[in-house]
Amino acid sequence: MILVTGGAGFIGGNFILDWLAESDEPVLNLDALTYAGNLETLATVEDDPRYVFVQGDICEHELLGGLFAKYRPRAIVHFAAESHVDRSIHGPGDFVRTNVEGSFALLEAARAYWNTLGEAERTSFRFHHVSTDEVFGSLQAEDAPFAETNPYLPNSPYAASKAASDHMARAWFHTYGLPVLTTNCSNNYGPYQFLEKLIPLTIVNALAGKALPVYGDGLNVRDWLYVGDHCRAIRSVLAHGRPGETYNVGGGCEKTNIDIVRAICGLLDQLWPDAGGRYERLVTFVADRPGHDRRYAIDARKIEQELGWRPAESFESGLRKTVQWYLANPKWVADVQSGAYRAWVDRQYSGAAVA
Ligand code: NAD
Ligand code: TYD
């Protein structure tokens, strides 16, 4: 089986759903269920015999050791993290704890387990560290997109904590030989994304007739990738990537934030017209994020040339699917808004130990 950390989050949840749809191999999902962990995302697989959920924290060394001994995973896909830049500005401590100390604990537990394996299992074992393009800092308009060889220049506490974990993953390969793979991906969007991130926030605020907050001048650029394409890239690197290597993953799709918000408004005007007028009337420019990186863009030629991965979804098709998904899933949205998703674990597992 494979061990997925952070599988109740946005990308990890999509990854598990896709994995179980495409493969017979079981998945162990280890997730602490912070505010970002939502088991409702995985409701369709919770009774699947190939799926095991354990509520637990990646910082807990003993828990990790016990899970490795019990489940003997052949690979780890490490998503668990604090992931929201704005939260990292208000409270960086949680980011250091989970992203740095938690990744350290996981690498150490993986190494201890890996050392007990026989030669063939040691060779085929993989530790896949899921990271971000934000470790590379901010680009000027005229700069070339981030390549794997770009220097690390993290600007936010989130990016700094992810950079630290990338450095440890690299060191555990070079020092101990642990077969580590790292992917650095651009901004993801798609179903099941927590509502505080730009694209879902814009959709649900528009539907509620609320302001659509755009930071600063709205001209910051992100390179957007549909989450299913990211999950496919991870499966490809896990299966065929070279240990010790890093792979940049991106959509080749640079958009300003204001263009994203306008595109969502345009789709909603078609799919869910509002008698009050066009949704763009709700756009509201607000104070900028401190230290706001101006532009991210990914050069994905390495993964394309070595592994033949390319995004399947265009921005237009991916955004339409995403808007349609949020329109079609009002209960998932309402449960996040009301906090009812937090009760899911109690409801689902009442009377039974979750682990
Ligand atoms: P998310 O915030 O939606 O989910 C994170 C998950 O990790 C949650 O389920 C949470 O409960 C869990 N978690 C947090 N702390 C934990 C801990 N101490 N122990 C166990 N579980 C814990 O994040 P996401 O957007 O799905 O991102 C997943 C990974 O992908 C992160 O490592 C992030 O840095 C990376 N990434 C995200 C993006 C993006 O656009 N969202 C882009 C590139 C890379
Ligand atoms: P976000 O989804 O938080 O991702 P990240 O900061 O990790 O790239 O934000 C994407 C972009 O959208 C970023 O430039 C900040 C901007 N933004 C807004 O303009 N308004 C908002 O309400 C939010 C949440 C983000």
Side-chain angles (χ1 to χ4, degrees), residues 6 8-12 30-34 36-37 56-59 79-83 97-98 130-132 158 162 185-188 193 197 230:
F10 163 48
I11 306 174
L30 171 64
D31 196 298
L33 299 183
T34 67
D57 190 323
I58 58 164
C59 298
F79 293 97
E82 288 292 336
S83 72
R97 184 175 177 278
T98 286
V130 180
S131 193
T132 167
Y158 164 65
K162 291 297 289 188
C185 190
S186 59
N187 285 63
N188 283 213
Q193 188 165 27
K197 301 281 173 86
H230 186 192

PDB file of all heavy atoms in Angstrom, residues 6 8-12 30-34 36-37 56-59 79-83 97-98 130-132 158 162 185-188 193 197 230, ligand 1:
ATOM      1  N   GLY A   6      -1.989  14.015   4.807  1.00  0.00           N
ATOM      2  CA  GLY A   6      -2.786  15.176   4.391  1.00  0.00           C
ATOM      3  C   GLY A   6      -3.822  14.840   3.336  1.00  0.00           C
ATOM      4  O   GLY A   6      -4.211  15.697   2.544  1.00  0.00           O
ATOM      5  N   ALA A   8      -6.941  14.397   3.642  1.00  0.00           N
ATOM      6  CA  ALA A   8      -8.260  15.019   3.806  1.00  0.00           C
ATOM      7  C   ALA A   8      -8.253  16.472   3.333  1.00  0.00           C
ATOM      8  O   ALA A   8      -9.252  17.171   3.448  1.00  0.00           O
ATOM      9  CB  ALA A   8      -8.699  14.944   5.268  1.00  0.00           C
ATOM     10  N   GLY A   9      -7.119  16.916   2.810  1.00  0.00           N
ATOM     11  CA  GLY A   9      -7.040  18.278   2.274  1.00  0.00           C
ATOM     12  C   GLY A   9      -7.430  18.313   0.803  1.00  0.00           C
ATOM     13  O   GLY A   9      -7.875  17.315   0.225  1.00  0.00           O
ATOM     14  N   PHE A  10      -7.235  19.472   0.214  1.00  0.00           N
ATOM     15  CA  PHE A  10      -7.679  19.699  -1.171  1.00  0.00           C
ATOM     16  C   PHE A  10      -6.967  18.761  -2.167  1.00  0.00           C
ATOM     17  O   PHE A  10      -7.604  17.949  -2.850  1.00  0.00           O
ATOM     18  CB  PHE A  10      -7.432  21.178  -1.511  1.00  0.00           C
ATOM     19  CG  PHE A  10      -7.451  21.521  -2.963  1.00  0.00           C
ATOM     20  CD1 PHE A  10      -8.471  21.075  -3.800  1.00  0.00           C
ATOM     21  CD2 PHE A  10      -6.441  22.324  -3.507  1.00  0.00           C
ATOM     22  CE1 PHE A  10      -8.487  21.428  -5.153  1.00  0.00           C
ATOM     23  CE2 PHE A  10      -6.448  22.672  -4.842  1.00  0.00           C
ATOM     24  CZ  PHE A  10      -7.468  22.211  -5.673  1.00  0.00           C
ATOM     25  N   ILE A  11      -5.647  18.843  -2.229  1.00  0.00           N
ATOM     26  CA  ILE A  11      -4.953  18.063  -3.271  1.00  0.00           C
ATOM     27  C   ILE A  11      -4.866  16.594  -2.854  1.00  0.00           C
ATOM     28  O   ILE A  11      -5.095  15.688  -3.671  1.00  0.00           O
ATOM     29  CB  ILE A  11      -3.553  18.643  -3.562  1.00  0.00           C
ATOM     30  CG1 ILE A  11      -3.653  20.134  -3.905  1.00  0.00           C
ATOM     31  CG2 ILE A  11      -2.898  17.888  -4.729  1.00  0.00           C
ATOM     32  CD1 ILE A  11      -2.314  20.840  -4.074  1.00  0.00           C
ATOM     33  N   GLY A  12      -4.558  16.355  -1.565  1.00  0.00           N
ATOM     34  CA  GLY A  12      -4.481  14.965  -1.094  1.00  0.00           C
ATOM     35  C   GLY A  12      -5.796  14.223  -1.286  1.00  0.00           C
ATOM     36  O   GLY A  12      -5.812  13.046  -1.654  1.00  0.00           O
ATOM     37  N   LEU A  30      -3.169   9.396   6.412  1.00  0.00           N
ATOM     38  CA  LEU A  30      -2.857   9.935   7.745  1.00  0.00           C
ATOM     39  C   LEU A  30      -3.077  11.438   7.714  1.00  0.00           C
ATOM     40  O   LEU A  30      -2.387  12.156   6.981  1.00  0.00           O
ATOM     41  CB  LEU A  30      -1.393   9.628   8.112  1.00  0.00           C
ATOM     42  CG  LEU A  30      -0.881  10.318   9.383  1.00  0.00           C
ATOM     43  CD1 LEU A  30      -1.639   9.848  10.625  1.00  0.00           C
ATOM     44  CD2 LEU A  30       0.623  10.094   9.552  1.00  0.00           C
ATOM     45  N   ASP A  31      -4.039  11.903   8.506  1.00  0.00           N
ATOM     46  CA  ASP A  31      -4.365  13.337   8.483  1.00  0.00           C
ATOM     47  C   ASP A  31      -4.782  13.766   9.889  1.00  0.00           C
ATOM     48  O   ASP A  31      -5.559  13.087  10.555  1.00  0.00           O
ATOM     49  CB  ASP A  31      -5.498  13.591   7.486  1.00  0.00           C
ATOM     50  CG  ASP A  31      -5.616  15.054   7.120  1.00  0.00           C
ATOM     51  OD1 ASP A  31      -5.888  15.879   8.032  1.00  0.00           O
ATOM     52  OD2 ASP A  31      -5.447  15.397   5.939  1.00  0.00           O
ATOM     53  N   ALA A  32      -4.287  14.920  10.308  1.00  0.00           N
ATOM     54  CA  ALA A  32      -4.598  15.420  11.650  1.00  0.00           C
ATOM     55  C   ALA A  32      -5.987  16.059  11.714  1.00  0.00           C
ATOM     56  O   ALA A  32      -6.477  16.347  12.807  1.00  0.00           O
ATOM     57  CB  ALA A  32      -3.551  16.444  12.073  1.00  0.00           C
ATOM     58  N   LEU A  33      -6.605  16.311  10.547  1.00  0.00           N
ATOM     59  CA  LEU A  33      -7.889  17.021  10.480  1.00  0.00           C
ATOM     60  C   LEU A  33      -7.805  18.379  11.175  1.00  0.00           C
ATOM     61  O   LEU A  33      -8.506  18.654  12.145  1.00  0.00           O
ATOM     62  CB  LEU A  33      -9.039  16.173  11.051  1.00  0.00           C
ATOM     63  CG  LEU A  33      -9.286  14.853  10.328  1.00  0.00           C
ATOM     64  CD1 LEU A  33     -10.494  14.126  10.936  1.00  0.00           C
ATOM     65  CD2 LEU A  33      -9.516  15.058   8.824  1.00  0.00           C
ATOM     66  N   THR A  34      -6.917  19.214  10.652  1.00  0.00           N
ATOM     67  CA  THR A  34      -6.919  20.620  11.051  1.00  0.00           C
ATOM     68  C   THR A  34      -8.140  21.263  10.406  1.00  0.00           C
ATOM     69  O   THR A  34      -8.945  20.585   9.762  1.00  0.00           O
ATOM     70  CB  THR A  34      -5.655  21.328  10.516  1.00  0.00           C
ATOM     71  OG1 THR A  34      -5.744  21.379   9.087  1.00  0.00           O
ATOM     72  CG2 THR A  34      -4.385  20.595  10.936  1.00  0.00           C
ATOM     73  N   ALA A  36      -8.336  22.548   7.750  1.00  0.00           N
ATOM     74  CA  ALA A  36      -8.313  22.294   6.294  1.00  0.00           C
ATOM     75  C   ALA A  36      -8.643  20.854   5.943  1.00  0.00           C
ATOM     76  O   ALA A  36      -8.795  20.526   4.767  1.00  0.00           O
ATOM     77  CB  ALA A  36      -6.931  22.654   5.728  1.00  0.00           C
ATOM     78  N   GLY A  37      -8.747  19.987   6.945  1.00  0.00           N
ATOM     79  CA  GLY A  37      -9.010  18.578   6.671  1.00  0.00           C
ATOM     80  C   GLY A  37     -10.504  18.318   6.662  1.00  0.00           C
ATOM     81  O   GLY A  37     -11.208  18.641   7.614  1.00  0.00           O
ATOM     82  N   GLY A  56      -4.268  11.510  12.777  1.00  0.00           N
ATOM     83  CA  GLY A  56      -3.043  11.644  13.552  1.00  0.00           C
ATOM     84  C   GLY A  56      -2.143  12.709  12.963  1.00  0.00           C
ATOM     85  O   GLY A  56      -2.322  13.152  11.824  1.00  0.00           O
ATOM     86  N   ASP A  57      -1.153  13.083  13.770  1.00  0.00           N
ATOM     87  CA  ASP A  57      -0.298  14.223  13.464  1.00  0.00           C
ATOM     88  C   ASP A  57       1.062  13.713  12.970  1.00  0.00           C
ATOM     89  O   ASP A  57       1.667  12.853  13.626  1.00  0.00           O
ATOM     90  CB  ASP A  57      -0.135  15.011  14.785  1.00  0.00           C
ATOM     91  CG  ASP A  57       0.516  16.357  14.594  1.00  0.00           C
ATOM     92  OD1 ASP A  57       1.424  16.466  13.742  1.00  0.00           O
ATOM     93  OD2 ASP A  57       0.128  17.288  15.312  1.00  0.00           O
ATOM     94  N   ILE A  58       1.545  14.266  11.874  1.00  0.00           N
ATOM     95  CA  ILE A  58       2.851  13.819  11.342  1.00  0.00           C
ATOM     96  C   ILE A  58       4.019  14.191  12.264  1.00  0.00           C
ATOM     97  O   ILE A  58       5.131  13.731  12.047  1.00  0.00           O
ATOM     98  CB  ILE A  58       3.128  14.348   9.917  1.00  0.00           C
ATOM     99  CG1 ILE A  58       3.084  15.878   9.876  1.00  0.00           C
ATOM    100  CG2 ILE A  58       2.182  13.726   8.905  1.00  0.00           C
ATOM    101  CD1 ILE A  58       3.719  16.474   8.625  1.00  0.00           C
ATOM    102  N   CYS A  59       3.756  15.028  13.275  1.00  0.00           N
ATOM    103  CA  CYS A  59       4.837  15.380  14.206  1.00  0.00           C
ATOM    104  C   CYS A  59       5.053  14.285  15.260  1.00  0.00           C
ATOM    105  O   CYS A  59       6.031  14.346  16.010  1.00  0.00           O
ATOM    106  CB  CYS A  59       4.516  16.688  14.927  1.00  0.00           C
ATOM    107  SG  CYS A  59       4.383  18.089  13.812  1.00  0.00           S
ATOM    108  N   PHE A  79       1.660  15.110   1.495  1.00  0.00           N
ATOM    109  CA  PHE A  79       0.954  16.370   1.222  1.00  0.00           C
ATOM    110  C   PHE A  79       0.784  17.204   2.486  1.00  0.00           C
ATOM    111  O   PHE A  79       0.592  18.417   2.385  1.00  0.00           O
ATOM    112  CB  PHE A  79      -0.471  16.095   0.718  1.00  0.00           C
ATOM    113  CG  PHE A  79      -0.595  15.434  -0.623  1.00  0.00           C
ATOM    114  CD1 PHE A  79      -0.774  14.063  -0.729  1.00  0.00           C
ATOM    115  CD2 PHE A  79      -0.554  16.186  -1.782  1.00  0.00           C
ATOM    116  CE1 PHE A  79      -0.914  13.459  -1.965  1.00  0.00           C
ATOM    117  CE2 PHE A  79      -0.689  15.593  -3.027  1.00  0.00           C
ATOM    118  CZ  PHE A  79      -0.875  14.224  -3.117  1.00  0.00           C
ATOM    119  N   ALA A  80       0.743  16.564   3.653  1.00  0.00           N
ATOM    120  CA  ALA A  80       0.311  17.259   4.875  1.00  0.00           C
ATOM    121  C   ALA A  80       1.131  18.527   5.091  1.00  0.00           C
ATOM    122  O   ALA A  80       2.356  18.495   5.106  1.00  0.00           O
ATOM    123  CB  ALA A  80       0.452  16.338   6.089  1.00  0.00           C
ATOM    124  N   ALA A  81       0.434  19.624   5.250  1.00  0.00           N
ATOM    125  CA  ALA A  81       1.101  20.908   5.458  1.00  0.00           C
ATOM    126  C   ALA A  81       0.078  21.938   5.887  1.00  0.00           C
ATOM    127  O   ALA A  81      -1.120  21.773   5.664  1.00  0.00           O
ATOM    128  CB  ALA A  81       1.762  21.379   4.149  1.00  0.00           C
ATOM    129  N   GLU A  82       0.566  22.993   6.497  1.00  0.00           N
ATOM    130  CA  GLU A  82      -0.198  24.238   6.564  1.00  0.00           C
ATOM    131  C   GLU A  82       0.077  24.918   5.226  1.00  0.00           C
ATOM    132  O   GLU A  82       1.233  25.056   4.825  1.00  0.00           O
ATOM    133  CB  GLU A  82       0.282  25.110   7.721  1.00  0.00           C
ATOM    134  CG  GLU A  82      -0.102  24.574   9.098  1.00  0.00           C
ATOM    135  CD  GLU A  82      -1.599  24.620   9.349  1.00  0.00           C
ATOM    136  OE1 GLU A  82      -2.299  25.446   8.716  1.00  0.00           O
ATOM    137  OE2 GLU A  82      -2.090  23.830  10.174  1.00  0.00           O
ATOM    138  N   SER A  83      -0.995  25.357   4.530  1.00  0.00           N
ATOM    139  CA  SER A  83      -0.810  25.709   3.120  1.00  0.00           C
ATOM    140  C   SER A  83      -1.258  27.116   2.712  1.00  0.00           C
ATOM    141  O   SER A  83      -1.102  27.484   1.559  1.00  0.00           O
ATOM    142  CB  SER A  83      -1.567  24.690   2.248  1.00  0.00           C
ATOM    143  OG  SER A  83      -2.965  24.900   2.367  1.00  0.00           O
ATOM    144  N   ARG A  97       5.871  24.230  12.667  1.00  0.00           N
ATOM    145  CA  ARG A  97       5.628  22.943  13.337  1.00  0.00           C
ATOM    146  C   ARG A  97       5.314  21.853  12.314  1.00  0.00           C
ATOM    147  O   ARG A  97       5.997  20.830  12.249  1.00  0.00           O
ATOM    148  CB  ARG A  97       4.482  23.096  14.341  1.00  0.00           C
ATOM    149  CG  ARG A  97       4.250  21.833  15.138  1.00  0.00           C
ATOM    150  CD  ARG A  97       3.190  22.015  16.219  1.00  0.00           C
ATOM    151  NE  ARG A  97       2.997  20.740  16.883  1.00  0.00           N
ATOM    152  CZ  ARG A  97       2.222  19.775  16.406  1.00  0.00           C
ATOM    153  NH1 ARG A  97       1.565  19.941  15.270  1.00  0.00           N
ATOM    154  NH2 ARG A  97       2.125  18.622  17.051  1.00  0.00           N
ATOM    155  N   THR A  98       4.295  22.056  11.507  1.00  0.00           N
ATOM    156  CA  THR A  98       3.897  20.967  10.597  1.00  0.00           C
ATOM    157  C   THR A  98       4.852  20.838   9.410  1.00  0.00           C
ATOM    158  O   THR A  98       5.318  19.741   9.085  1.00  0.00           O
ATOM    159  CB  THR A  98       2.454  21.195  10.100  1.00  0.00           C
ATOM    160  OG1 THR A  98       1.571  20.891  11.177  1.00  0.00           O
ATOM    161  CG2 THR A  98       2.117  20.287   8.923  1.00  0.00           C
ATOM    162  N   VAL A 130       5.672  16.563  -1.648  1.00  0.00           N
ATOM    163  CA  VAL A 130       4.877  17.458  -2.495  1.00  0.00           C
ATOM    164  C   VAL A 130       5.147  18.899  -2.077  1.00  0.00           C
ATOM    165  O   VAL A 130       4.844  19.285  -0.943  1.00  0.00           O
ATOM    166  CB  VAL A 130       3.372  17.140  -2.366  1.00  0.00           C
ATOM    167  CG1 VAL A 130       2.558  18.076  -3.242  1.00  0.00           C
ATOM    168  CG2 VAL A 130       3.103  15.678  -2.734  1.00  0.00           C
ATOM    169  N   SER A 131       5.714  19.689  -2.989  1.00  0.00           N
ATOM    170  CA  SER A 131       6.043  21.060  -2.615  1.00  0.00           C
ATOM    171  C   SER A 131       5.515  22.059  -3.652  1.00  0.00           C
ATOM    172  O   SER A 131       4.753  21.713  -4.549  1.00  0.00           O
ATOM    173  CB  SER A 131       7.549  21.207  -2.391  1.00  0.00           C
ATOM    174  OG  SER A 131       7.806  22.446  -1.757  1.00  0.00           O
ATOM    175  N   THR A 132       5.949  23.281  -3.487  1.00  0.00           N
ATOM    176  CA  THR A 132       5.329  24.411  -4.180  1.00  0.00           C
ATOM    177  C   THR A 132       6.365  25.214  -4.958  1.00  0.00           C
ATOM    178  O   THR A 132       7.553  25.209  -4.621  1.00  0.00           O
ATOM    179  CB  THR A 132       4.648  25.324  -3.130  1.00  0.00           C
ATOM    180  OG1 THR A 132       4.306  26.550  -3.742  1.00  0.00           O
ATOM    181  CG2 THR A 132       5.578  25.640  -1.957  1.00  0.00           C
ATOM    182  N   TYR A 158       5.069  30.793   4.880  1.00  0.00           N
ATOM    183  CA  TYR A 158       4.672  29.525   4.243  1.00  0.00           C
ATOM    184  C   TYR A 158       5.780  29.031   3.322  1.00  0.00           C
ATOM    185  O   TYR A 158       6.226  27.879   3.421  1.00  0.00           O
ATOM    186  CB  TYR A 158       3.371  29.721   3.451  1.00  0.00           C
ATOM    187  CG  TYR A 158       3.079  28.603   2.469  1.00  0.00           C
ATOM    188  CD1 TYR A 158       2.811  27.309   2.899  1.00  0.00           C
ATOM    189  CD2 TYR A 158       3.080  28.845   1.088  1.00  0.00           C
ATOM    190  CE1 TYR A 158       2.544  26.285   1.995  1.00  0.00           C
ATOM    191  CE2 TYR A 158       2.818  27.829   0.171  1.00  0.00           C
ATOM    192  CZ  TYR A 158       2.559  26.549   0.638  1.00  0.00           C
ATOM    193  OH  TYR A 158       2.304  25.534  -0.259  1.00  0.00           O
ATOM    194  N   LYS A 162       8.145  25.613   3.602  1.00  0.00           N
ATOM    195  CA  LYS A 162       8.187  24.583   2.556  1.00  0.00           C
ATOM    196  C   LYS A 162       9.614  24.437   2.025  1.00  0.00           C
ATOM    197  O   LYS A 162      10.073  23.324   1.732  1.00  0.00           O
ATOM    198  CB  LYS A 162       7.226  24.923   1.408  1.00  0.00           C
ATOM    199  CG  LYS A 162       5.762  24.837   1.749  1.00  0.00           C
ATOM    200  CD  LYS A 162       5.299  23.432   2.131  1.00  0.00           C
ATOM    201  CE  LYS A 162       5.263  22.476   0.961  1.00  0.00           C
ATOM    202  NZ  LYS A 162       4.634  21.174   1.350  1.00  0.00           N
ATOM    203  N   CYS A 185       5.053  22.445  -7.446  1.00  0.00           N
ATOM    204  CA  CYS A 185       3.924  22.731  -8.338  1.00  0.00           C
ATOM    205  C   CYS A 185       3.412  24.157  -8.160  1.00  0.00           C
ATOM    206  O   CYS A 185       3.541  24.754  -7.097  1.00  0.00           O
ATOM    207  CB  CYS A 185       2.798  21.733  -8.059  1.00  0.00           C
ATOM    208  SG  CYS A 185       1.469  21.812  -9.279  1.00  0.00           S
ATOM    209  N   SER A 186       2.815  24.661  -9.212  1.00  0.00           N
ATOM    210  CA  SER A 186       2.203  25.991  -9.183  1.00  0.00           C
ATOM    211  C   SER A 186       0.810  25.925  -8.541  1.00  0.00           C
ATOM    212  O   SER A 186       0.394  24.875  -8.062  1.00  0.00           O
ATOM    213  CB  SER A 186       2.112  26.530 -10.613  1.00  0.00           C
ATOM    214  OG  SER A 186       1.326  25.639 -11.386  1.00  0.00           O
ATOM    215  N   ASN A 187       0.095  27.044  -8.560  1.00  0.00           N
ATOM    216  CA  ASN A 187      -1.227  27.119  -7.905  1.00  0.00           C
ATOM    217  C   ASN A 187      -2.218  26.137  -8.515  1.00  0.00           C
ATOM    218  O   ASN A 187      -2.395  26.110  -9.722  1.00  0.00           O
ATOM    219  CB  ASN A 187      -1.808  28.525  -8.068  1.00  0.00           C
ATOM    220  CG  ASN A 187      -1.146  29.523  -7.164  1.00  0.00           C
ATOM    221  OD1 ASN A 187       0.049  29.765  -7.292  1.00  0.00           O
ATOM    222  ND2 ASN A 187      -1.908  30.093  -6.248  1.00  0.00           N
ATOM    223  N   ASN A 188      -2.852  25.367  -7.648  1.00  0.00           N
ATOM    224  CA  ASN A 188      -3.867  24.402  -8.090  1.00  0.00           C
ATOM    225  C   ASN A 188      -5.264  24.991  -7.912  1.00  0.00           C
ATOM    226  O   ASN A 188      -5.490  25.813  -7.020  1.00  0.00           O
ATOM    227  CB  ASN A 188      -3.821  23.153  -7.220  1.00  0.00           C
ATOM    228  CG  ASN A 188      -2.680  22.211  -7.546  1.00  0.00           C
ATOM    229  OD1 ASN A 188      -2.822  21.001  -7.420  1.00  0.00           O
ATOM    230  ND2 ASN A 188      -1.539  22.727  -7.963  1.00  0.00           N
ATOM    231  N   GLN A 193     -11.607  22.394  -3.049  1.00  0.00           N
ATOM    232  CA  GLN A 193     -10.618  23.315  -2.467  1.00  0.00           C
ATOM    233  C   GLN A 193     -11.264  24.106  -1.341  1.00  0.00           C
ATOM    234  O   GLN A 193     -12.399  24.580  -1.463  1.00  0.00           O
ATOM    235  CB  GLN A 193     -10.053  24.275  -3.530  1.00  0.00           C
ATOM    236  CG  GLN A 193      -8.895  25.113  -2.991  1.00  0.00           C
ATOM    237  CD  GLN A 193      -8.083  25.811  -4.067  1.00  0.00           C
ATOM    238  OE1 GLN A 193      -8.597  26.109  -5.137  1.00  0.00           O
ATOM    239  NE2 GLN A 193      -6.823  26.069  -3.801  1.00  0.00           N
ATOM    240  N   LYS A 197      -9.349  30.007  -0.333  1.00  0.00           N
ATOM    241  CA  LYS A 197      -8.406  30.259  -1.435  1.00  0.00           C
ATOM    242  C   LYS A 197      -9.117  31.016  -2.563  1.00  0.00           C
ATOM    243  O   LYS A 197     -10.342  30.936  -2.703  1.00  0.00           O
ATOM    244  CB  LYS A 197      -7.822  28.939  -1.945  1.00  0.00           C
ATOM    245  CG  LYS A 197      -7.069  28.138  -0.875  1.00  0.00           C
ATOM    246  CD  LYS A 197      -5.673  28.671  -0.621  1.00  0.00           C
ATOM    247  CE  LYS A 197      -4.989  27.992   0.549  1.00  0.00           C
ATOM    248  NZ  LYS A 197      -4.285  26.773   0.247  1.00  0.00           N
ATOM    249  N   HIS A 230      -2.284  17.880 -11.597  1.00  0.00           N
ATOM    250  CA  HIS A 230      -1.228  17.772 -10.580  1.00  0.00           C
ATOM    251  C   HIS A 230      -1.173  16.337 -10.050  1.00  0.00           C
ATOM    252  O   HIS A 230      -0.093  15.753  -9.914  1.00  0.00           O
ATOM    253  CB  HIS A 230      -1.493  18.778  -9.453  1.00  0.00           C
ATOM    254  CG  HIS A 230      -0.401  18.841  -8.426  1.00  0.00           C
ATOM    255  ND1 HIS A 230      -0.568  19.502  -7.233  1.00  0.00           N
ATOM    256  CD2 HIS A 230       0.853  18.321  -8.373  1.00  0.00           C
ATOM    257  CE1 HIS A 230       0.550  19.395  -6.513  1.00  0.00           C
ATOM    258  NE2 HIS A 230       1.422  18.679  -7.190  1.00  0.00           N
TER     259      HIS A 230
HETATM  260  P1  NAD B   1      -4.699  21.826   2.411  1.00  0.00           P
HETATM  261  O1  NAD B   1      -4.418  22.918   3.390  1.00  0.00           O
HETATM  262  O2  NAD B   1      -5.990  21.843   1.661  1.00  0.00           O
HETATM  263  O3  NAD B   1      -4.601  20.405   3.129  1.00  0.00           O
HETATM  264  C1  NAD B   1      -3.601  20.089   4.053  1.00  0.00           C
HETATM  265  C2  NAD B   1      -4.004  18.801   4.798  1.00  0.00           C
HETATM  266  O4  NAD B   1      -2.936  18.474   5.700  1.00  0.00           O
HETATM  267  C3  NAD B   1      -5.285  18.951   5.620  1.00  0.00           C
HETATM  268  O5  NAD B   1      -6.123  17.834   5.421  1.00  0.00           O
HETATM  269  C4  NAD B   1      -4.771  18.995   7.063  1.00  0.00           C
HETATM  270  O6  NAD B   1      -5.701  18.451   7.999  1.00  0.00           O
HETATM  271  C5  NAD B   1      -3.508  18.134   6.956  1.00  0.00           C
HETATM  272  N1  NAD B   1      -2.530  18.461   8.011  1.00  0.00           N
HETATM  273  C6  NAD B   1      -2.107  19.698   8.384  1.00  0.00           C
HETATM  274  N2  NAD B   1      -1.230  19.596   9.407  1.00  0.00           N
HETATM  275  C7  NAD B   1      -1.076  18.265   9.649  1.00  0.00           C
HETATM  276  C8  NAD B   1      -0.291  17.523  10.567  1.00  0.00           C
HETATM  277  N3  NAD B   1       0.514  18.133  11.458  1.00  0.00           N
HETATM  278  N4  NAD B   1      -0.367  16.167  10.546  1.00  0.00           N
HETATM  279  C9  NAD B   1      -1.186  15.548   9.656  1.00  0.00           C
HETATM  280  N5  NAD B   1      -1.969  16.202   8.786  1.00  0.00           N
HETATM  281  C10 NAD B   1      -1.907  17.550   8.775  1.00  0.00           C
HETATM  282  O7  NAD B   1      -3.460  21.832   1.410  1.00  0.00           O
HETATM  283  P2  NAD B   1      -3.417  21.524  -0.160  1.00  0.00           P
HETATM  284  O8  NAD B   1      -3.762  22.754  -0.912  1.00  0.00           O
HETATM  285  O9  NAD B   1      -4.146  20.264  -0.422  1.00  0.00           O
HETATM  286  O10 NAD B   1      -1.846  21.282  -0.348  1.00  0.00           O
HETATM  287  C11 NAD B   1      -1.284  19.972  -0.172  1.00  0.00           C
HETATM  288  C12 NAD B   1       0.221  20.045  -0.369  1.00  0.00           C
HETATM  289  O11 NAD B   1       0.503  20.533  -1.688  1.00  0.00           O
HETATM  290  C13 NAD B   1       0.928  20.991   0.603  1.00  0.00           C
HETATM  291  O12 NAD B   1       2.140  20.385   0.979  1.00  0.00           O
HETATM  292  C14 NAD B   1       1.174  22.254  -0.232  1.00  0.00           C
HETATM  293  O13 NAD B   1       2.322  22.919   0.208  1.00  0.00           O
HETATM  294  C15 NAD B   1       1.367  21.660  -1.612  1.00  0.00           C
HETATM  295  N6  NAD B   1       0.992  22.552  -2.733  1.00  0.00           N
HETATM  296  C16 NAD B   1      -0.234  23.136  -2.763  1.00  0.00           C
HETATM  297  C17 NAD B   1      -0.578  23.950  -3.847  1.00  0.00           C
HETATM  298  C18 NAD B   1      -1.948  24.601  -3.962  1.00  0.00           C
HETATM  299  O14 NAD B   1      -2.172  25.375  -4.885  1.00  0.00           O
HETATM  300  N7  NAD B   1      -2.874  24.308  -3.079  1.00  0.00           N
HETATM  301  C19 NAD B   1       0.320  24.132  -4.908  1.00  0.00           C
HETATM  302  C20 NAD B   1       1.575  23.486  -4.834  1.00  0.00           C
HETATM  303  C21 NAD B   1       1.885  22.689  -3.745  1.00  0.00           C
END
